[in-house]
Amino acid sequence: MNGVVVARGLQEALSDLSERPDATVLAGGTDLMVEMNRGLRRPRRVVAVSQVPELRQWSVANDRVVVGGGVTYTEMMTTPLAQAAPALAQAARTVGSPPIRNAGTLGGNLGTASPAGDTLPVLAALNAQIVVAGPDGERRMELEEFVVGVKQTSLQPGELIVRAEMDRPRGPQEFLKIGPRNAMVISMAGLALVVDRDARAVRCALGAVAAGIPRAREAEAWVAERIDWDNGAGVDGAVADEFGPRVAAACAPIDDHRSTAAYRRHAVAVLATRALKRAFPQGGADDA
Amino acid sequence: MPDPYWLRVNGADHEVADADLAESLLFVLRERLGLTGTKNACTEGECSSCAVLVDGVLTCSCLVLAAGAVGAEITTVEGLGDSRDGLSVVQEAFVDEGAVQCGFCTPGLIVAVHDLLETDPDPSDGDIREALSGNLCRCTGYGRILAAVHSAAATKRSQP
């Protein structure tokens, strides 16, 4: 390895990256260092971005939440960010252990682009725009344009993930995931469900069950028509039960060392029904 | 060979020379600085036996690029002792409560418990289990560790 640069500002990081297009960006290290320790990866150069203050910023407005690429899972779990994006906080809470959550970042989760990246379904369900910066300035895209395959992104050499800008809808949010235990678990299946009362919409995205992060758009539209939006009565139990398999139709899982396709499809259906029932508790309590 | 760099560990500056830049902080602490209190087990963030504080934040040192930690204040288990015999309240509680068996996970646990008690002087069992959920111990079954954390917390609370 020829060099390590510890960038102390966004412009410095960007100019380092444009001068060294072969450099690998290091954020919290929870993915890259594992591969380096095992000898699976040996970057020629590293630009470390954990000391870039611009990437550590986040902000909360009435209808919008902006989270910098260097914001850690621990920070996502902390109010007021956790209150403004509860599903993001729930997802962050399921990642690794406290020291992992202290190090791992939203930008790192995006950059690794694993289908099992736990924040990614939340970003998809919150209609997030991913903002990247490069030599030619900023560009922004939907998550579906950013994550283009298993651990593949549309990030170009010299570009850096700067922030994600997401909706802050009025309504409940859920993130649920399945794994063999509660801590230190990589998702076998994950699901984010967001209710937007003003748009009368339910948005649902899936993790670890496809090459990308699919939205269950047909199931979303189907259930939105069956919710009693005006009277707050919520969702009929039979509708919630049927919602599960309809969401599962959006996944394209595989058998691998972590789980089987059949189990993942089953798990997604269970998670979808559970998330919808939690979002619309019996009696239709309005917890927006 | 790359240029040497300096790391600040337990309040002292250490030169790291003739080192591969791909080395983790864990490797540099143990193999180059001789600070072997920090243990090396999984090297993938699963066990926390290598836990240290980086700028006061609980971190797995195996996941920190050492050359990227220039300028940070690093505290290892060797830097935590504060009482007359060189042991911290947490370390003494681990000894007194029999929370140490083979001892391999102990340094990581000690660092994690110091971090917990910084922010939570009176943690419940659930708080402790959550805070230590990344620290794997294969000997004790964690019962004595929980007792040690409660004991250390009580001692710290009773101190002025």
Side-chain angles (χ1 to χ4, degrees), chain A residues 14 17 28 54 56 60 65 112 126 128 136 148 164 201 203 227 250 275:
Chain A
L14 290 173
L17 282 174
E54 294 94 327
R56 305 296 299 264
V60 171
V65 178
T112 294
L126 289 172
D136 305 321
V148 294
R203 294 194 292 270
I227 290 168

Side-chain angles (χ1 to χ4, degrees), chain A residues 1 3 6 8 26 28-29 33-34 36-38 42 46 93 97-102 181 183-184, chain B residues 20-22 24 43-46 48 57-60 62-65 67-68 70 130-131 133-134:
Chain A
M1 204 156 103
V6 183
R8 309 272 169 188
L26 171 67
M33 287 303 295
V34 173
M36 286 171 64
N37 288 339
R38 287 183 186 162
R42 193 171 168 82
V46 165
R93 168 69 179 72
S97 63
I100 300 299
R101 297 196 288 265
N102 286 342
R181 59 182 277 239
M184 301 303 305
Chain B
D20 183 337
L21 287 177
S24 70
T43 68
E44 58 179 38
E46 293 279 341
S48 292
V57 177
L58 182 69
T59 308
C60 291
C62 72
L63 300 182
V64 175
L65 185 68
V70 171
E130 173 56 32
S133 58

Side-chain angles (χ1 to χ4, degrees), chain A residues 53-77:
Chain A
E54 294 94 327
L55 299 179
R56 305 296 299 264
Q57 293 170 355
W58 54 265
S59 67
V60 171
N62 275 341
D63 59 347
R64 206 102 187 106
V65 178
V66 178
V67 182
V71 171
T72 65
Y73 299 113
T74 299
E75 290 166 322
M76 292 176 227
M77 290 162 58

Side-chain angles (χ1 to χ4, degrees), chain A residues 185-199:
Chain A
V185 158
I186 296 175
S187 285
M188 287 150 59
L191 176 143
L193 183 136
V194 169
V195 178
D196 184 336
R197 289 189 189 279
D198 297 317

Side-chain angles (χ1 to χ4, degrees), chain A residues 121-178:
Chain A
V122 180
L123 294 178
L126 289 172
N127 287 331
Q129 294 265 305
I130 313 305
V131 181
V132 304
D136 305 321
E138 284 187 357
R139 63 189 182 99
R140 56 178 57 231
M141 62 204 108
E142 308 278 333
L143 187 76
E144 282 161 307
E145 304 164 77
F146 181 82
V147 178
V148 294
V150 175
K151 298 195 172 182
Q152 289 185 326
T153 71
S154 53
L155 204 63
Q156 299 299 308
E159 283 186 329
L160 184 64
I161 300 159
V162 179
R163 63 185 180 275
E165 301 181 0
M166 58 207 88
D167 289 350
R168 187 188 179 188
R170 196 174 58 86
Q173 303 180 7
E174 292 287 339
F175 175 83
L176 299 170
K177 115 178 184 186
I178 297 285

Side-chain angles (χ1 to χ4, degrees), chain B residues 50-76:
Chain B
C50 69
V52 299
L53 302 174
V54 177
D55 287 329
V57 177
L58 182 69
T59 308
C60 291
S61 60
C62 72
L63 300 182
V64 175
L65 185 68
V70 171
E73 196 75 44
I74 297 153
T75 305
T76 69

